[in-house]
Structures are given as C-alpha cells and as structure tokens.
Amino acid sequence: MQPLFEHRLRLAGSRTRALELEGDGPPLVLLHGYSDSADTWRLMLDRLARAGRRAVALDLPGFGTSDPLDPDRPILPQLDTFVDAALAEFAPDGGALLCGNSLGGCVALRRAERADGVLAGVVAVAPAGLEMARWFSMIQRDRVMRLLLTAPVPIPPRVVRGAVSEIYKRLAFRNPRQIDPLVTKAFVSHFDGRATAARMLHTGSRLIPELAESLDPSRIACPVLLVWGRDDVMVFQTGADRVLDAAPEARLVTIDDCGHCPQIEAPDRLAELLLEFPTSLAPA
C-alpha cells in the first residue's frame, strides 16, 4: 500500500497543499468542490493507495489552506490557470486523468474543452455549471446560516464550525447520520470563525453568474465520465444531458443511495470507476 504524503507547494503563484500518492498508471488529479478542500478525497486516496495508483488531491485557490483568490479577477479563470499548472507539475508528459466534484467537476470539464493532448480523460462528479446549481441558494436561505452571520454578538469559532457541519451534512449526503465524524471535522477545520463563513458566501455569490456561462460541452475533446449520486439535492442531474448530447465520448453513471459527494458516501464504487476509466468507456 502506497503511503500518503501531505506537502505544500506553489502552483501558478498560489501556495497550496497536496495529498499525494506515488504509484503506477496515469496521474490522477483530484479537485474538490466549493468551500471544501483536498481532505474530501481521503477515503478515495485510501482505496487508490491499496490499488497502487498514482494520485494527488489539491486545495484549490481560495479554499482549504491555499492562498486567497484575487478579488478583482473572475474566479473560474483563476482556477483554470491553477489546474494548468497542476497538470504541468504532476503530469509533465501528459496523459493525466482529471477528476473533480461539484465546482471541481466544472473546472475539470472546462479543461476538457481544450484539445491539447494533456488529458487522457475527465471524470466529473456532480459538476456545477451544467444546470444552474441549487447549492448556493439553499445555503443562503438556511435559517442557521442567516442567524450565524447576522447575530449582534461575537460567535465562538466552535459554534461556527458546528453550524457549518450540520448544514454540510444535511445538504451534501443522502445518509448524513452514517457519515464518519472525521469527515465533517475535516470539512469545518478551515472555518476559523464567522469571517470565514462570510467570505465563503461572498465567493459563492461571485461564482453563481460565472457558472451560468461556464461550459460549452460541444468543445469537449477527450473521454468524459459523468458520475452522479441519485439522491443529489444540490446539483441537478438533468444537466448531464447537455454533455451526453454534445460529446460522443461521454457516459453517465448514477450511484444509488448517494448524495452530492460519492467520494465520501460511495468511495468503493467511485474508486472502481476511476480505476477502470477510460478503458471501460463505451460510446454513449
């Protein structure tokens, strides 16, 4: 079993964190979703390590332990530049597989639109941007979140983390009571107080109009596997039709009894799909 190395590096001028596995096969680069971090892939990295597969999960700019985003520039182009640098760092000879969940899935699909031979394929897990994502409006309307941000008294960081943890479990998972507490602890570990929660909401409000015009599936130039939890309440699965209709090398797999984050609720099944991709990809 390959050991997991956690280290810091700089990509496209942004300091970030990597969870990296040495191993065999094409490099597998893993991108997390909005307000998440590389830690969301730890269960998947465990499965990939047992298979001896080479992989790396990264904190995207503005999230986890990475440097902040530039507030004066659009967000998605900044993430595009970061991913280009990551592919150059971890797959200098090309042939990488790019896998992203939610916002990370959108960024992965954007990279698939460029036919430059760097990517062997993309696995987009419940990608935002195909149908207008519901996740942000659901977070904005959450009663606990509104109270958290508007309370006239200081809120201790542990209270912020507890509130964010409950919202995360309720929205992201089909079976929130079955989620290991270490998963939610890792998710909220980067929320050091009310200011962080407010910053995440501000980032989300900037992202929504960008996501609405973020993808052109007709330009996808590599094999694509779309993966959705059948019980995802955050991103509409119907958005998959745009890719399936436009990209001849695209396929959709749905996972039963699973919500927005199959890497956590169905890591064995998602690992199986990643290890088989793209050799298992049949014409849509």
Side-chain angles (χ1 to χ4, degrees):
M1 180 174 174
Q2 296 293 336
L4 180 66
F5 296 96
E6 181 171 345
H7 61 95
R8 304 282 298 180
L9 72 160
R10 186 180 292 272
L11 296 172
S14 179
R15 291 174 300 173
T16 187
R17 178 181 58 132
L19 305 179
E20 186 173 2
L21 289 173
E22 295 181 347
D24 301 321
L28 179 56
V29 180
L30 304 170
L31 309 176
H32 62 78
Y34 163 79
S35 78
D36 211 336
S37 73
D39 294 312
T40 193
W41 298 106
R42 286 187 179 273
L43 295 176
M44 285 294 306
L45 289 167
D46 174 74
R47 274 66 174 177
L48 296 172
R50 295 176 189 277
R53 183 59 186 273
R54 183 182 173 194
V56 60
L58 299 163
D59 284 350
L60 291 171
F63 304 103
T65 65
S66 70
D67 281 346
L69 291 157
D70 185 338
D72 298 322
R73 296 170 51 210
I75 291 173
L76 290 178
Q78 295 183 64
L79 301 184
D80 294 337
T81 302
F82 176 86
V83 169
D84 284 344
L87 293 173
E89 174 74 20
F90 296 103
D93 300 323
L97 296 176
L98 191 57
C99 175
N101 173 230
S102 197
L103 173 60
C106 174
V107 176
L109 286 176
R110 284 167 63 88
R111 189 60 184 79
E113 294 177 5
R114 282 179 279 159
D116 54 12
V118 172
L119 290 180
V122 161
V123 178
V125 184
L130 292 171
E131 290 278 346
M132 196 59 181
R134 299 174 61 198
W135 50 263
F136 188 64
S137 62
M138 296 169 78
I139 294 170
Q140 280 185 313
R141 293 197 307 266
D142 186 87
R143 182 177 60 84
V144 174
M145 180 60 71
R146 292 202 308 269
L147 179 63
L148 186 71
L149 295 177
T150 59
V153 296
I155 305 293
R158 62 178 180 81
V159 175
V160 174
R161 288 192 288 267
V164 171
S165 175
E166 289 304 311
I167 296 169
Y168 169 58
K169 288 190 295 183
R170 177 160 34 88
L171 296 181
F173 304 116
R174 171 67 177 83
N175 302 295
R177 293 183 180 179
Q178 297 178 17
I179 301 303
D180 189 323
L182 291 176
V183 169
T184 53
K185 183 178 180 180
F187 181 86
V188 302
S189 64
H190 307 295
F191 285 78
D192 53 9
R194 184 159 58 176
T196 304
R199 176 169 56 83
M200 286 297 152
L201 282 180
H202 177 66
T203 299
S205 67
R206 292 174 59 199
L207 265 172
I208 289 300
E210 291 188 41
L211 287 171
E213 304 292 336
S214 62
L215 295 169
D216 181 0
S218 67
R219 298 178 59 190
I220 290 176
C222 67
V224 169
L225 177 65
L226 299 169
V227 180
W228 243 283
R230 194 175 297 276
D231 300 297
D232 190 338
V233 299
M234 296 186 72
V235 176
F236 294 117
Q237 183 183 317
T238 51
D241 293 339
R242 284 182 58 196
V243 177
L244 297 176
D245 292 342
E249 292 186 277
R251 175 184 168 210
L252 170 65
V253 172
T254 56
I255 301 177
D256 291 334
D257 199 32
C258 181
H260 187 59
C261 298
Q263 70 272 20
I264 293 172
E265 285 196 285
D268 292 325
R269 177 57 175 145
L270 184 55
E272 180 182 74
L273 292 170
L274 287 176
L275 291 170
E276 293 176 351
F277 181 78
T279 58
S280 65
L281 190 64

